[in-house]
């Protein structure tokens, strides 16, 4: 992404690209490290703030590049402490990111695309269609903005975990995703460990195994149904990759010792939350190294599904437990500000703005 005068945005360059850019300006490559540090650790808004580099280089950077972050269009705080940001990108597209406070740290939910092409029938983002892929700078810019916000609010909790569970299907923006994940772990940059990163996908080929080979994060797979027929009803586009094929691919997924895949399963009241579904799911899980993360559906305006009955959620969980399937129930946060999973749709689309 470039600004209106067509200058490159320094935040869109990975480390090697920045190095090339700096060398192109006639400087030694090691200057790139300093500039990188200013960008990602000090979050400067202009080269003029880069006080340990020469005035001359600062001026040349100013002339030939720009530093553009997404703009915070809205900041909404939930009664449970969850904060949602609506961000506006340089071309006016909007995305959302959410900060979720846990007991000891904060988890940030990141967007990878503006909108989503997959159109899962229960997901608000899916109703928007795909606007476009996010760039390196737009993916990581969400983290810079979160850090600035935490600092400004004097939060005692540190940002620790990152989950790609906001808008978009990360593996359909593969190149920028992998580039951003590489940059994330740079010690002179954001310096976030790969172990703290989870990428959630409905299952895209060849992206899944390619992502596995990078070793740049853990994988969560949005399953939501234990049979092909039901999955095709809930997620028609994702289910073009048949369930048995998806499971076969996941069996080849490179896992570290004791590592497991996470299977996300959104419980939709009366649709996929019956005992028979739980038993089918147990059968499916017997073929892979995986654990199940149940999510009670957050009803979204205009979509034809209901939250599950808490008793059904408990019964579903128990069937898995009894068969020794590791299962957790995700607590939904930020419902009052539509920041919960699948409620990410920009307000202008929702029509309440
Ligand atoms: N596109 C990716 C990542 C973003 S969605 C994916 O689908 O995996 C992150 C998770 O939120 C997915 O598991 C998704 O199915 C779930 N989700 C979507 N809508 C939801 C809703 N209304 N309530 C609860 N979870 C939802
Ligand atoms: Fe896209 Fe994920 Fe929503 Fe499906 S659930 S429409 S893949 S964001």
């Amino acid at each position: 992404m470039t600004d209106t005068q067509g200058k490159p945005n320094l935040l869109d360059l990975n480390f090697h690209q920045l190095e090339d850019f700096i060398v192109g300006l006639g400087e030694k490559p090691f200057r790139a490290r300093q500039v990188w540090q200013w960008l990602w650790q000090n979050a400067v808004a202009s080269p003029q703030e880069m006080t340990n580099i020469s005035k001359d280089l600062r001026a040349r950077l100013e002339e030939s590049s720009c530093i553009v972050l997404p703009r915070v269009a809205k900041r909404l705080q939930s009664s449970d402490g969850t904060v949602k940001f609506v961000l506006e990108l340089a071309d006016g597209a909007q995305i959302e990111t959410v900060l979720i406070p846990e007991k000891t740290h904060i988890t940030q939910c990141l967007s990878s695309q503006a909108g989503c092409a997959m159109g899962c029938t229960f997901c608000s983002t899916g109703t928007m269609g795909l606007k476009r892929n996010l760039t390196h700078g737009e993916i990581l810019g969400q983290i810079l903005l979160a850090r600035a916000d935490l600092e400004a609010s004097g939060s005692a909790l540190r940002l620790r975990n990152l989950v790609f569970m906001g808008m978009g299907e990360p593996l359909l923006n593969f190149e920028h995703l992998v580039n951003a994940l590489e940059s994330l772990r740079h010690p002179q940059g954001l310096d976030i460990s790969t172990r703290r990163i989870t990428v959630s996908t409905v299952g895209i080929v060849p992206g899944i195994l390619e992502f596995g080979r990078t070793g740049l994060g853990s994988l969560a797979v949005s399953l939501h149904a234990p049979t092909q027929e039901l999955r095709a009803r809930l997620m028609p586009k994702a289910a073009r990759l048949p369930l048995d094929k998806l499971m076969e691919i996941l069996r080849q997924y490179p896992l570290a010792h004791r590592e497991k895949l996470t299977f996300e399963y959104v419980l939709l009241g009366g649709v996929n939350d019956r005992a028979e579904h739980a038993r089918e799911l147990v059968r499916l899980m017997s073929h892979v190294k995986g654990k199940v993360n149940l999510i009670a559906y957050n009803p979204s305006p205009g979509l034809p599904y209901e939250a599950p009955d808490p008793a059904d959620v408990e019964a579903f969980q128990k069937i898995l437990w009894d068969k020794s399937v590791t299962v957790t129930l995700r607590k939904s946060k930020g419902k009052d500000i539509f920041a919960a999973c699948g409620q990410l749709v920009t307000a202008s689309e929702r029509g309440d703005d």
Side-chain angles (χ1 to χ4, degrees):
M1 186 72 9
T2 52
D3 77 353
T4 43
Q5 286 134 41
K7 298 176 186 173
N9 181 0
L10 294 181
L11 299 178
D12 278 336
L13 306 181
N14 65 24
F15 187 74
H16 298 294
Q17 291 166 333
L18 181 67
E19 224 168 33
D20 288 349
F21 187 73
I22 300 275
V23 169
L25 294 178
E27 290 285 333
K28 293 267 183 316
F30 79 90
R31 291 281 171 213
R33 198 168 292 271
Q34 289 170 314
V35 173
W36 182 261
Q37 204 156 3
W38 283 111
L39 292 172
W40 297 111
Q41 287 193 339
N42 302 78
V44 296
S46 145
Q48 295 312 333
E49 296 172 52
M50 303 180 182
T51 50
N52 65 351
I53 64 172
S54 69
K55 278 216 173 101
D56 180 48
L57 176 55
R58 277 187 251 167
R60 268 178 298 144
L61 282 171
E62 184 91 41
E63 220 176 81
S64 58
S65 65
C66 60
I67 301 175
V68 183
L69 269 177
R71 187 181 72 79
V72 179
K74 232 185 249 172
R75 180 189 189 278
L76 300 162
Q77 182 143 10
S78 156
S79 51
D80 65 21
T82 302
V83 180
K84 175 169 96 167
F85 300 90
V86 178
L87 305 178
E88 191 177 292
L89 310 178
D91 62 354
Q94 291 195 336
I95 55 162
E96 301 188 342
T97 183
V98 182
L99 294 181
I100 307 151
E102 322 258 3
K103 273 197 202 98
T104 57
H105 63 271
I106 288 174
T107 296
Q108 182 172 15
C109 179
L110 296 164
S111 292
S112 56
Q113 299 181 308
C116 183
M118 296 308 285
C120 301
T121 57
F122 50 83
C123 173
S124 298
T125 307
T127 62
M128 294 172 66
L130 176 68
K131 301 271 145 91
R132 67 170 172 86
N133 280 335
L134 301 192
T135 66
H136 176 272
E138 290 164 344
I139 294 174
L140 299 180
Q142 299 171 64
I143 304 168
L144 288 182
L145 292 171
R147 282 195 172 164
D149 188 81
L150 291 171
E151 203 169 305
S153 65
S155 168
L157 299 176
R158 270 173 54 95
L159 179 60
R160 202 182 70 177
N161 294 346
L162 301 176
V163 294
F164 283 85
M165 296 184 185
M167 272 189 193
E169 168 47 57
L171 296 187
L172 288 178
N173 185 11
F174 195 82
E175 191 188 323
H176 291 146
L177 174 80
V178 167
N179 241 331
L181 294 176
E182 283 279 4
S183 295
L184 265 174
R185 61 178 181 173
H186 196 292
Q188 268 88 41
L190 289 165
D191 195 17
I192 298 179
S193 158
T194 293
R195 277 176 295 130
R196 306 271 180 226
I197 297 168
T198 303
V199 170
S200 174
T201 179
V202 290
I204 303 291
V205 276
I208 305 182
L209 290 180
E210 283 179 4
F211 173 72
R213 280 185 221 112
T214 68
L216 288 170
S218 310
L219 190 73
V221 180
S222 288
L223 197 63
H224 309 325
T227 61
Q228 170 63 16
E229 187 251 321
L230 182 55
R231 198 162 187 264
R233 259 171 48 211
L234 303 180
M235 326 159 68
K237 289 197 185 150
R240 284 184 199 156
L241 175 66
L243 187 56
D244 52 355
K245 195 95 192 98
L246 172 65
M247 299 308 283
E248 189 187 313
I249 289 164
L250 292 174
R251 276 194 289 280
Q252 298 164 38
Y253 190 87
L255 289 169
H257 181 56
R258 297 226 211 125
E259 196 194 349
K260 283 182 176 173
L261 292 166
T262 300
F263 287 89
E264 293 162 281
Y265 194 105
V266 172
L267 292 161
L268 304 160
V271 175
N272 64 354
D273 63 347
R274 312 282 86 202
E276 78 216 44
H277 300 123
R279 285 194 289 268
E280 288 274 9
L281 183 57
V282 167
R283 224 167 298 150
L284 206 60
M285 296 301 294
S286 66
H287 302 294
V288 281
K289 273 171 74 182
K291 57 187 178 207
V292 174
N293 190 202
L294 296 176
I295 310 157
Y297 181 62
N298 300 304
S300 287
L303 297 181
Y305 297 104
E306 286 171 17
D309 187 321
D312 291 336
V313 174
E314 207 172 301
F316 197 98
Q317 197 173 6
K318 189 167 182 309
I319 292 173
L320 297 179
W321 263 127
D322 288 348
K323 297 289 178 190
S324 306
V325 176
T326 308
V327 53
T328 48
L329 179 64
R330 190 187 303 166
K331 296 224 170 61
S332 231
K333 294 201 173 162
K335 280 193 206 170
D336 53 342
I337 54 167
F338 291 103
C341 289
Q343 295 186 317
L344 302 185
V345 56
T346 43
S348 49
E349 308 266 343
R350 190 180 288 126
D352 63 359
D353 202 21

